[in-house]
Amino acid sequence: MPIGDTIEIDLSRGIIEKREGDLALVRDYVASKGTGTRILWDRVPPEVDAFAPESTFIMSAGVLTGTLVPGANRLCIVYKSPATNIHCYSSVGGFLGTALKRTGYDTVIVSGKSDTPVYLYINDDRVELRDARHLWGHDTRQTESLIRKELGDQAEVLSIGLAGENKVLFATAEHGAGDCAGRGGFGALMGDKNLKAIAIHGTKDIPVADTERLFDICNYILSRTHGARKGILDPAGYTFVRTFLRWADFRNFGGIVQSPEFQEEIKNSGPLTQAFIERTREREVACANCSLRCKHAYRNTDGTYVYHKCAGFYYAMFTSQILKPEFSLACKTLFERYGLDIYSTGDSVAFAIDLYEKGILTREDTDGLHLEWQNPDVYLALVHKIARREGIGDVLANGTYRAARQIGKGAERYAFTAKKLELHMNKIYHRYHMALSSAVCDRGDMTKLDSGTAGQMPRRPLSEREAYIKDGWFHYPDSYKKYFLEEGADAYGNSSIEAQASYNSYDMEQYTLADLSGICMFWLEFWMWPTINSRAMMADLMTAVTGLEIDEAEATRIASRVISLVRAYSVREGLRRQDDFDSVPKHTFEREPRPPERKLEPDTLDQLLDKFYEIRGWDRQGIPTAANLEELDLGFVREDMERRGILEGKS
Amino acid sequence: MATRKIKYINIDADKCSGCRLCESICSASHADPPYSLVNPGRSRIRVFRDEDNDVYIPVLAGPYTDVECLGRNTVMVKGKEYGECSFCRASCPSRDLFREPETDIPLKCDTCESINSEPLCVKWCLSKCLTFEEVEEEVEEETPAAA
Ligand code: SF4
Ligand code: SF4
Ligand code: SF4
């Protein structure tokens, strides 16, 4: 079967080693997040700090990446996050993954710290560390174009900007048309290693095992993309505007309270934003082999271009309370160039303004800057300070969790994080599936579990749900139809505990398979219309490409293995049930929802967690049991955990 | 006067998303055995891209030439200057483009005739940047059809 080779790089000693791909690893973990986590388990135990020289990250392409499979382009980067101190991974789109596959390698292991700035260049068989002193201090777009001048236009580049160089704990690594390793601070890890960029150019064939089978499935998938497109966006941008309004409402329940006037302004700004999008959006742009093209190119007033996708468009608008889309574009441009996570940065700035308003931060703390909402100069000044770690920016650059503890004076109350990561977007958690997604998500960022079907469908009329099944969009096992058709969901779409926990658990497997295969999650059920719509199809695709017989049951087993391994990794770092529980912000239990919506009670969350852990084979603390680990061939994990006294109960 | 069918692949570059599915399907469908691999380097269509300037232009492989151009021009797109070669369709000794990696055999778009198919890049381009058209055109009988 076609498997790629592995490169191992020690930045401290400048050593590059190559070795053949490991078939056993592929059988058990497939690729990507699976392989990466397996390697991370051995290399980065709790004794190794995220910023220690021994700290290692693993880049691994999805097993379908670069083949004909639509949307299969992901490159997964697995590491211990310096922000959350637990397992973290970033799934990078664009053309990095396909480029890596074409070099003949599919996994790259990087450890150590370089004395001076370097960048890694993988050019087919030639792998080298090149001097990057002349690139240090340049923004991500400049870095990419300078590297392409050196290496040629074909090189695909992932680079950090000032934020990564300064180890801002939510720094990103950026690539091409608006893609990045976004959440969890991978940019800071690169910066700490003095690794300015990774450039890849490959010219080799990407072979597949069973050609006819693959081609047929791909044709079928393409014939159904209208479903996913319908969910993601429509040409006029109406979905975005509508969604924007909904989120705006959500945000009101959040920590950063918006005035009624502002709420009103939000409502009125919908049409304006839409008109702006129609005027300014120049192109729909896509990652490799993707027909969904969810990224949009916008022209800035200075003639440069910036790429936006999904919720990112609105984040600066929310967190600044400046409802001008042109401001949002300017911010996105800045974030991208500095290499800053759009969500964590927005939250951190808003957090600072919020604290200032409450008197917890004063002018003395802010170098004389008077912080206020709706002031573009203040917002941008804070972004600059964060990226450069200047003044208050040096504190905020540690993320709101740590910043709140550094600032003290009750600031903790206003920091909303899940496992130390700023909470993305929806700050209302009365929806069971969102609460549970946020609670059990492996990196604290729920987006990868935000199941459209579980969340939206139950409150739709029965006839609509029946039609959904009839039209072939229902991708859960047949046994789930009873949940799907069950009556009695509340105004949030909450149905029974068992139903919601089952959906979440199944979705977690499905998204894990997406990661292993390298398929962008937008092709799955994220927006309710899953073009790649069954476990069987995922298994078929993997089989066709690898030639290994992976059936539905085996795919599920592999996904379960990876999920338990990831969980065990973070448990070994100290993660427990309470961290899951606290990933649903407390104000969920404090604030009253609007009737007829019902409040999520702490007790309900507990029941959801119990059920979810039970389905996954974990104990009441959310720790995979010895039996679960054995069953999934994770004996080495069980031994390690027992040695550390984590598995006492042996339940 | 006789007529013959002329095949056109029209490119509306404003609709190109830069996804390069066209490159993938072209290289896969022309591989031996069919679909056994993907390699844009073997594709008869390549997408020129410049993300910083929002330029994405698919270029279909055209005729082979054994000598490179003598003069070089420049092309302005959206106020930025590109070398003429960027958008040139020729399989030309000055570059690797449109030549099979190992054999160096020139590649030329055959509108998928050699694989008895409708143009697959067009079919797989869901952005409708590429469209296909067959037009009956009159030809003078004594003139041999131009290549
Ligand atoms: S849906 Fe969007 S992010 Fe996903 S692969 Fe396609 S263009 Fe990239
Ligand atoms: S398939 Fe179409 S949209 Fe995609 S790169 Fe090719 S021409 Fe552009
Ligand atoms: S028409 Fe066929 S041969 Fe020509 S570029 Fe498209 S896929 Fe390739």
Side-chain angles (χ1 to χ4, degrees):
Chain A
M1 74 145 268
I3 64 167
D5 292 339
T6 300
I7 315 173
E8 172 131 21
I9 293 144
D10 178 347
L11 291 167
S12 300
R13 293 182 295 159
I15 294 175
I16 297 168
E17 273 172 17
K18 303 170 186 176
R19 61 168 180 266
E20 274 180 21
D22 182 347
L23 187 61
L25 212 54
V26 179
R27 276 185 208 281
D28 291 347
Y29 300 95
V30 182
S32 170
K33 187 181 181 182
T35 313
T37 306
R38 177 65 191 88
I39 298 169
L40 194 75
W41 176 269
D42 288 342
R43 305 290 183 97
V44 192
E47 294 73 30
V48 175
D49 185 75
F51 281 150
E54 301 80 35
S55 183
T56 302
F57 69 84
I58 300 100
M59 280 198 316
S60 178
V63 78
L64 305 181
T65 294
T67 65
L68 274 184
V69 180
N73 53 48
R74 260 37 207 180
L75 179 78
C76 194
I77 305 175
V78 182
Y79 55 103
K80 182 191 281 188
S81 159
T84 64
N85 304 119
I86 57 174
H87 181 281
C88 194
Y89 69 102
S90 303
S91 159
V92 189
F95 292 84
L96 268 185
T98 46
L100 182 64
K101 280 300 262 281
R102 294 185 62 205
T103 63
Y105 297 102
D106 56 22
T107 302
V108 184
I109 305 170
V110 181
S111 63
K113 277 188 205 199
S114 173
D115 293 335
T116 56
V118 288
Y119 74 92
L120 171 65
Y121 181 34
I122 307 172
N123 179 18
D124 281 341
D125 294 328
R126 294 182 296 281
V127 184
E128 52 181 324
L129 289 169
R130 296 171 66 106
D131 188 9
R133 276 174 296 190
H134 61 298
L135 300 173
W136 208 252
H138 281 292
D139 74 36
T140 56
R141 295 309 306 158
Q142 288 166 337
T143 304
E144 185 161 321
S145 91
L146 285 168
I147 289 180
R148 280 196 182 156
K149 280 212 178 83
E150 282 172 37
L151 309 176
D153 284 343
Q154 300 291 319
E156 303 296 345
V157 180
L158 179 76
S159 68
I160 57 167
L162 246 63
E165 291 177 13
N166 292 330
K167 295 192 246 179
V168 173
L169 290 189
F170 41 87
T172 62
E174 302 277 333
H175 160 61
D179 293 292
C180 64
R183 310 227 65 197
F186 178 66
L189 187 58
M190 278 179 73
D192 184 60
K193 294 190 172 308
N194 254 327
L195 183 62
K196 176 70 177 168
I198 297 166
I200 309 177
H201 178 47
T203 63
K204 297 182 186 171
D205 298 335
I206 299 175
V208 297
D210 187 344
T211 57
E212 299 283 313
R213 192 163 169 188
L214 188 68
F215 184 59
D216 288 347
I217 313 172
C218 292
N219 268 322
Y220 173 77
I221 294 170
L222 282 186
S223 74
R224 286 168 53 96
T225 51
H226 63 283
R229 282 278 295 173
K230 163 166 92 176
I232 286 185
L233 41 83
D234 53 65
Y238 285 100
T239 313
F240 271 34
V241 176
R242 270 204 316 271
T243 313
F244 172 38
L245 293 178
R246 282 216 315 273
W247 279 331
D249 215 27
F250 282 5
R251 186 93 187 171
N252 189 37
F253 287 85
I256 297 143
V257 181
Q258 292 163 349
S259 62
E261 299 83 47
F262 182 62
Q263 287 288 316
E264 201 47 39
E265 221 182 293
I266 287 172
K267 290 215 172 87
N268 299 333
S269 76
L272 271 178
T273 305
Q274 189 184 318
F276 175 86
I277 289 176
E278 277 164 25
R279 205 171 59 242
T280 328
R281 181 168 69 190
E282 300 229 342
R283 185 187 302 274
E284 293 175 353
V285 184
C287 305
N289 287 357
C290 178
S291 330
L292 298 185
R293 45 189 196 280
C294 77
K295 302 182 283 183
H296 297 191
Y298 293 91
R299 195 181 164 87
N300 281 317
T301 40
D302 66 358
T304 59
Y305 287 85
V306 62
Y307 296 88
H308 248 314
K309 75 173 185 186
C310 200
F313 193 97
Y314 302 106
Y315 220 62
M317 290 161 78
F318 280 126
T319 48
S320 62
Q321 305 201 0
I322 299 165
L323 296 181
K324 293 201 174 67
E326 47 276 52
F327 175 71
S328 188
L329 282 193
C331 289
K332 172 71 207 294
T333 309
L334 199 60
F335 294 162
E336 193 173 306
R337 287 172 185 255
Y338 273 138
L340 282 169
D341 175 25
I342 194 164
Y343 300 117
S344 290
T345 309
D347 273 18
S348 298
V349 170
F351 173 63
I353 302 175
D354 200 23
L355 291 187
Y356 191 94
E357 214 175 35
K358 296 187 162 65
I360 297 174
L361 282 179
T362 64
R363 232 179 236 268
E364 274 163 39
D365 304 305
T366 60
D367 317 310
L369 200 62
H370 172 69
L371 306 189
E372 58 184 358
W373 300 109
Q374 302 193 320
N375 183 333
D377 295 334
V378 164
Y379 193 91
L380 293 175
L382 284 171
V383 175
H384 289 300
K385 279 176 182 296
I386 289 172
R388 294 169 188 276
R389 277 194 178 272
E390 282 168 10
I392 185 73
D394 192 30
V395 178
L396 297 173
N398 294 332
T400 53
Y401 177 87
R402 290 179 177 78
R405 278 143 191 88
Q406 272 173 274
I407 294 165
K409 302 184 220 165
E412 292 94 330
R413 238 191 93 71
Y414 305 101
F416 298 101
T417 56
K419 307 185 170 80
K420 302 189 190 142
L421 190 69
E422 287 71 23
L423 264 173
H424 163 271
M425 199 61 73
N426 300 325
K427 291 202 159 55
I428 185 167
Y429 285 94
H430 296 307
R431 289 162 199 265
Y432 288 4
H433 90 282
M434 281 194 181
L436 188 54
S437 295
S438 181
V440 299
C441 173
D442 46 19
R443 64 179 176 191
D445 166 7
M446 66 182 282
T447 45
K448 277 253 168 177
L449 267 179
D450 187 359
S451 154
T453 311
Q456 315 274 347
M457 267 293 167
R459 58 183 172 160
R460 300 206 177 194
L462 191 61
S463 58
E464 221 178 289
R465 284 179 267 158
E466 282 166 349
Y468 182 85
I469 294 180
K470 197 161 146 282
D471 296 341
W473 298 116
F474 188 74
H475 75 288
Y476 295 94
D478 274 354
S479 60
Y480 280 48
K481 282 188 185 146
K482 64 175 186 290
Y483 303 137
F484 194 70
L485 298 173
E486 96 193 344
E487 286 296 344
D490 71 10
Y492 281 123
N494 297 332
S495 43
S496 70
I497 301 277
E498 183 183 304
Q500 300 286 345
S502 303
Y503 280 132
N504 273 54
S505 177
Y506 192 82
D507 289 339
M508 195 180 229
E509 291 163 9
Q510 202 68 355
Y511 289 130
T512 302
L513 289 172
D515 285 326
L516 303 186
S517 60
I519 295 173
C520 171
M521 64 191 281
F522 282 8
W523 287 82
L524 273 74
E525 71 81 56
F526 189 63
W527 300 96
M528 288 161 61
W529 288 278
T531 301
I532 296 175
N533 68 339
S534 69
R535 180 78 39 97
M537 196 191 284
M538 296 290 273
D540 251 10
L541 286 169
M542 291 196 202
T543 303
V545 167
T546 61
L548 301 171
E549 280 301 326
I550 300 174
D551 60 9
E552 216 178 315
E554 180 60 11
T556 304
R557 221 175 111 74
I558 295 171
S560 303
R561 178 178 300 134
V562 173
I563 291 169
S564 278
L565 180 62
V566 169
R567 182 73 188 189
Y569 184 91
S570 293
V571 163
R572 195 173 65 167
E573 298 291 329
L575 187 88
R576 293 296 181 272
R577 182 191 182 103
Q578 192 64 41
D579 300 293
D580 284 355
F581 191 91
D582 292 341
S583 295
V584 175
K586 281 200 178 54
H587 58 73
T588 298
F589 309 123
E590 289 161 6
R591 293 180 201 206
E592 288 304 321
R594 294 176 200 167
E597 290 162 346
R598 273 181 296 160
K599 198 155 95 178
L600 175 83
E601 299 295 345
D603 182 49
T604 314
L605 180 58
D606 267 326
Q607 288 176 37
L608 285 164
L609 283 177
D610 283 343
K611 191 75 209 166
F612 181 85
Y613 293 161
E614 182 195 316
I615 297 172
R616 295 253 53 94
W618 302 346
D619 71 11
R620 267 193 57 87
Q621 274 301 323
I623 302 173
T625 61
N628 174 260
L629 295 171
E630 282 303 331
E631 191 189 317
L632 296 172
D633 307 320
L634 295 170
F636 63 96
V637 174
R638 182 185 55 77
E639 278 164 32
D640 187 340
M641 305 247 286
E642 268 172 5
R643 211 171 33 246
R644 292 170 188 272
I646 301 172
L647 281 188
E648 261 99 289
K650 285 206 179 175
S651 52
Chain B
M1 294 290 250
T3 61
R4 66 170 178 143
K5 277 196 175 154
I6 313 268
K7 295 179 171 182
Y8 283 103
I9 292 177
N10 300 316
I11 299 171
D12 180 352
D14 286 346
K15 291 192 179 141
C16 180
S17 71
C19 72
R20 305 200 199 175
L21 209 45
C22 49
E23 295 181 356
S24 298
I25 188 65
C26 181
S27 64
S29 60
H30 287 73
D32 181 25
Y35 306 107
S36 55
L37 58 85
V38 169
N39 188 346
R42 300 181 192 278
S43 169
R44 293 132 206 257
I45 180 169
R46 294 304 300 269
V47 181
F48 175 87
R49 56 106 198 255
D50 173 4
E51 297 97 337
D52 281 331
N53 209 32
D54 189 43
V55 172
Y56 298 83
I57 302 180
V59 180
L60 284 151
Y64 163 76
T65 167
D66 53 7
V67 279
E68 58 188 273
C69 301
L70 286 176
R72 296 281 161 84
N73 304 318
T74 53
V75 183
M76 287 283 268
V77 183
K78 293 190 183 176
K80 196 173 159 188
E81 208 173 275
Y82 298 93
E84 177 192 34
C85 298
S86 303
F87 314 114
C88 175
R89 299 180 53 201
S91 172
C92 156
S94 74
R95 57 183 188 177
D96 292 339
L97 204 66
F98 300 137
R99 278 181 295 157
E100 283 274 356
E102 295 93 22
T103 57
D104 241 21
I105 293 172
L107 295 167
K108 185 180 170 191
C109 167
D110 59 6
T111 56
C112 286
E113 269 178 26
S114 66
I115 54 167
N116 291 320
S117 166
E118 61 188 302
L120 282 174
C121 57
V122 173
K123 186 178 174 203
W124 279 47
C125 175
L126 299 195
S127 342
K128 304 224 163 19
C129 161
L130 306 175
T131 46
F132 180 61
E133 187 179 21
E134 263 184 308
V135 185
E136 298 266 339
E137 280 189 9
E138 287 187 349
V139 282
E140 281 177 38
E141 256 160 305
E142 58 278 7
T143 316

